[in-house]
Amino acid sequence: MKVVALVSGGKDSCYAMMKCIQYGHEIVALANLMPADDSVDELDSFMYQTVSWAPNNCQLCRMHGIAVIQKANTRIHKASSFLEDVIGFGGSWHQTLNYKTTPGDEVEDMFVLLNEVKRQIPSITAVSSGAIASDYQRLRVESVCSRLGLVSLAYLWKQDQSLLLQEMITNGILAITVKVAAIGLEPSKHLGKEIAFLNTHLHKLKELYGINVCGEGGEYETLTLDCPLFVNARIVLDEFQIVLHSPGSIASVGVIHPLTFHLENKETAISLSNNDKTNYSSLGKNGSVFEVQGDCPQRSEATCQSNAERTNLAEVSDDRIYISRTKKDNIFSICCWLQDSCKNSAGSHEDLAIVLKHIESQLTGYGFGWEHVLYIHLYIADMNEFATVNETYVRFITQDKCPFGVPSRSTIELPMLQASLGRAYIEVLVANDNSKNVLHVQSISSWAPSCIGPYSQATLHKEILHMAGQLGLDPATMTLCNECPSAEMEQALENSEAVANVFNCSISISAIVFTIYCSRNTPLPERLKIQEKQDSFLEQMRLLQLEKGSKCKVLYPIFLYVLVPDLPKRAFVEVKPILFVPEDTETAVTSVQNPTSFTVANCWGFQHAQWHDSCIQKCVVSGKICAVILSITEDHVAKICSESLGVNAKDVDYHNSVAKGDMERVSRFCVYLLDKGIMENGFSWEDTMNLRIYFPTNSSIKLETLSLLFKNAMNELAEMDQRVQIGKEPIFNIVPVLGSGSSAASMNNIITCELFARKF
């Protein structure tokens, strides 16, 4: 991509440019914001480093830009530009974490500047910044980029600051401190010193006082005098004056005023890597410097789609629309699909518009909106239509409609047409409060895959972390690992772990359920390797967490493997974890052995047997969560039906098909075991957040018939037991798949049930 780099003159923005070049991007312009009034040492800005611009520093940093672009003829290709915007600086008027366009706010100065960059260099598609840890700054850069249709690149984001600082030093960043403002940093001793010289001292202060060694807490600011980007010249600061702002305080604040400085030619060009020996001194013509005074006319933000846009939806009869809803009032799931394939449909995007419209109507009927949605399962019939499906999705679900954060999401292709469904299918998890904590990073970085669009990496709500489906994407390049499916699995788990770490937890000890989607393009031997990689990765991470002295109780998750036709980006595997993030680290975690029988067994004639235990996986957090996965194989079907017939299971062959009468017995058995599984742990059906029933499309039973059988079984349970309440809508949704199971090797269950219940 062609990139404009936001530069402050400090070490972070320079090293971010180096990382952009390392990952194959082309920096064609630099841009910065400078104070309108250069008589003050530092503006009270939440967003920008301004200390190195005022008063004499502004001339030094202008020379910094000249050194990078003109005199040094740096690695910035072709006719580069150095643009400055004078900060009118109305201040930070919108100070909440998630930014909304606010006239007069300092963020709008950045919009004006980057808008002008796009006007002068239309080929620019991305913006580089040196954000490391500040969500406040990152979100504002992402907001401006989103409005202008640009991609945010933040390659330093979430990097370990100790390692990052050492990387900068090792890779040739020569930067000096131009401001200090932290306990243990004295202006007379530490201003004007190189970061390499201060490295050991900064780490000592980290141990003593917990400072950020890269200065992310405002402990110090820097000015880069040399780095590999400066091919022909370096800046030499000959003389400077130290100005104290709060002398005598515990953490004295001091800044540097440069007095004299010059450029010094470098004898030989320095390449960024051993593989990059190109001499850029002969490339192109020198760049130009432009100054943007005042406000530029703001272009119409054509890239942002109107929220009011709606597809002209064809009328769909009510008997074709299937709605399910769980019983809880404070947190529940709603599912919507179309009963039959719409012959007149233009594709998945049209069916999705119909389904989203009905979900929106359902939410409105309950007094909710998209801002109350925590998670969305998006199922489509053809992954080739992913781009057009996403365009439809973003017309309904936008950041403006979700001020507390957009929902997390997973997208899967299902064999819906084979199951006589429409081309799109939605399940949403809804909460009646706005206490969710959403992680939505749109910048491309080395941390974890970005979310380019209105969905987030993870949503934490009431101690449950709902993580978006994770592919095996290399975060820095956003490309899939091209080695093998097990390598994708490892990268997907690493990405999941990076997201979990933001919430101070780990997938190795905090996961409740792992759903692993496997593409049918993954050969069986590779599926075995996927599971082996998963098991070894989680075990290694678990040991590492225990060595670190983690105070969290260890959870042992349950696993569900689902075989599907395709995944986004033609991935082999997608991982979807759900984690428990307790407010109290001493929360008890229990597992249950040898469940006892219930009265309902006498009503349907089921009696507890040892083989029942082989059907069920459970993960229980006492008094809070009960997750159950129920797997019914062909052998289980034979046993279930032989018990009712009074014959030996060995004499019954169910390997070809399951008759409707047998499936009726199986559906009752599933409801019986699920009821037993939740009741023995103190939960009820009213505590159910979601209940999915996976069935293979090669089954002889139609989806509509299967849905009716489970609905009848639930009604029968309610008639037999007063504690079970059944509404007009089913509490379960049927998910057609190619296969499912409790291991990657044998995804051949006749029926798989996934239930998640929780108490508040």
Side-chain angles (χ1 to χ4, degrees), residues 271-478:
S271 64
L272 289 178
S273 71
N274 293 331
N275 297 323
D276 181 11
K277 299 296 182 183
T278 307
N279 185 344
Y280 285 85
S281 61
S282 60
L283 282 177
K285 62 182 182 180
N286 290 331
S288 304
V289 177
F290 302 93
E291 188 166 301
V292 181
Q293 290 283 355
D295 292 341
C296 293
Q298 297 192 10
R299 296 184 308 159
S300 61
E301 298 169 23
T303 57
C304 299
Q305 299 197 10
S306 169
N307 295 336
E309 285 186 29
R310 287 290 184 273
T311 304
N312 291 325
L313 304 178
E315 290 297 323
V316 178
S317 59
D318 289 342
D319 61 351
R320 284 195 53 227
I321 299 169
Y322 182 96
I323 294 285
S324 66
R325 183 193 186 280
T326 52
K327 292 286 293 178
K328 292 178 75 69
D329 292 326
N330 51 358
I331 181 166
F332 55 91
S333 62
I334 304 176
C335 179
C336 181
W337 73 64
L338 303 181
Q339 283 284 8
D340 296 306
S341 178
C342 182
K343 295 179 180 179
N344 298 323
S345 171
S348 297
H349 64 284
E350 186 171 294
D351 281 10
L352 179 62
I354 294 169
V355 170
L356 284 170
K357 182 180 179 182
H358 282 279
I359 287 284
E360 193 170 67
S361 176
Q362 290 282 316
L363 291 172
T364 302
Y366 293 115
F368 298 134
W370 292 113
E371 70 272 18
H372 294 97
V373 175
L374 305 176
Y375 200 95
I376 293 180
H377 287 83
L378 172 59
Y379 304 125
I380 58 178
D382 186 356
M383 197 57 70
N384 291 319
E385 297 184 70
F386 179 80
T388 54
V389 162
N390 225 29
E391 290 173 3
T392 303
Y393 181 92
V394 302
R395 291 208 306 271
F396 285 83
I397 303 162
T398 65
Q399 295 185 57
D400 288 342
K401 290 183 179 180
C402 305
F404 303 101
V406 289
S408 302
R409 188 182 88 179
S410 65
T411 305
I412 307 296
E413 180 181 317
L414 294 181
M416 293 190 289
L417 298 182
Q418 296 92 311
S420 299
L421 298 182
R423 293 178 173 86
Y425 179 150
I426 283 281
E427 179 191 335
V428 299
L429 182 64
V430 188
N432 69 350
D433 60 43
N434 290 311
S435 63
K436 63 182 180 181
N437 179 7
V438 175
L439 177 66
H440 183 205
V441 179
Q442 298 177 76
S443 300
I444 294 177
S445 68
S446 299
W447 161 72
S450 65
C451 288
I452 308 300
Y455 56 95
S456 60
Q457 280 94 348
T459 300
L460 178 65
H461 179 260
K462 305 290 188 183
E463 300 185 309
I464 303 295
L465 184 63
H466 305 273
M467 196 179 295
Q470 294 294 323
L471 302 178
L473 292 169
D474 171 38
T477 62
M478 291 297 289

Side-chain angles (χ1 to χ4, degrees), residues 232-250:
N232 292 333
R234 62 175 62 88
I235 299 172
V236 178
L237 182 56
D238 301 310
E239 188 179 359
F240 60 83
Q241 175 187 5
I242 293 176
V243 177
L244 297 179
H245 282 250
S246 54
S249 67
I250 295 176

Side-chain angles (χ1 to χ4, degrees), residues 598-600 672 675-676 678-679 683-686 717-718 720-726:
F598 278 78
T599 306
V600 67
Y672 155 72
D675 182 55
K676 188 177 179 182
I678 60 175
M679 289 300 297
F683 290 81
S684 69
W685 289 100
E686 282 69 33
L717 177 65
M720 293 185 290
D721 197 326
Q722 297 283 326
R723 61 187 166 80
V724 181
Q725 304 277 323
I726 298 296

